[in-house]
Amino acid sequence: MRTLVLLVLTIVAVTGSRRNKAEEFLLMEIMDNVDQILQQSSASNLSQFVKDVFPAAGCSEKHLCQAAMVMTNTHLNHCMLHRRLFAYANYSGHHHCAVSASEEHKMGVFLTKIKECCQEQYSKLMRQKRNRK
């Protein structure tokens, strides 16, 4: 019985660390994609208006899901950033999220908010990781 319990605990620990690694990787990839788009896009592409789904303070996995939904109706709907945002949304359990924002911002501001939200989620993940040790 003890052996079985130890085996289960080991499997849970390994699975949890893999999940954290995948989440870390996705967040880092999203941040890199944002940087690339901000550097390579033209001013006209970055001035497109999109719905602002991010609150004034704080964000969550749900907000990144909403960002993916917003990007569906933009010129960036087939880029890697869009795909990775959807992958992160699916991975975090937010498969379907509605966008009810009425305020709009330019794409450049929106992309910056995506990056800031990813940085916040990444920091939260690192704090959780340190607290487990």
Side-chain angles (χ1 to χ4, degrees), residues 40-110:
Q40 297 171 356
S41 289
S42 66
S44 62
N45 287 343
L46 294 177
S47 63
Q48 177 183 2
F49 279 90
V50 293
K51 292 188 181 280
D52 181 26
V53 296
F54 296 101
C59 74
S60 67
E61 297 164 338
K62 177 184 150 202
H63 295 109
L64 291 172
C65 176
Q66 290 175 331
M69 296 300 290
V70 166
M71 287 185 69
T72 301
N73 299 320
T74 69
H75 63 282
L76 296 174
N77 64 344
H78 294 295
C79 72
M80 287 305 293
L81 174 61
H82 185 240
R83 291 180 190 144
R84 286 188 173 119
L85 282 168
F86 267 119
Y88 184 77
N90 285 331
Y91 192 78
S92 64
H94 296 279
H95 306 284
H96 306 288
C97 51
V99 177
S100 59
S102 58
E103 191 173 330
E104 292 187 345
H105 286 289
K106 289 186 178 184
M107 179 63 78
V109 173
F110 180 71

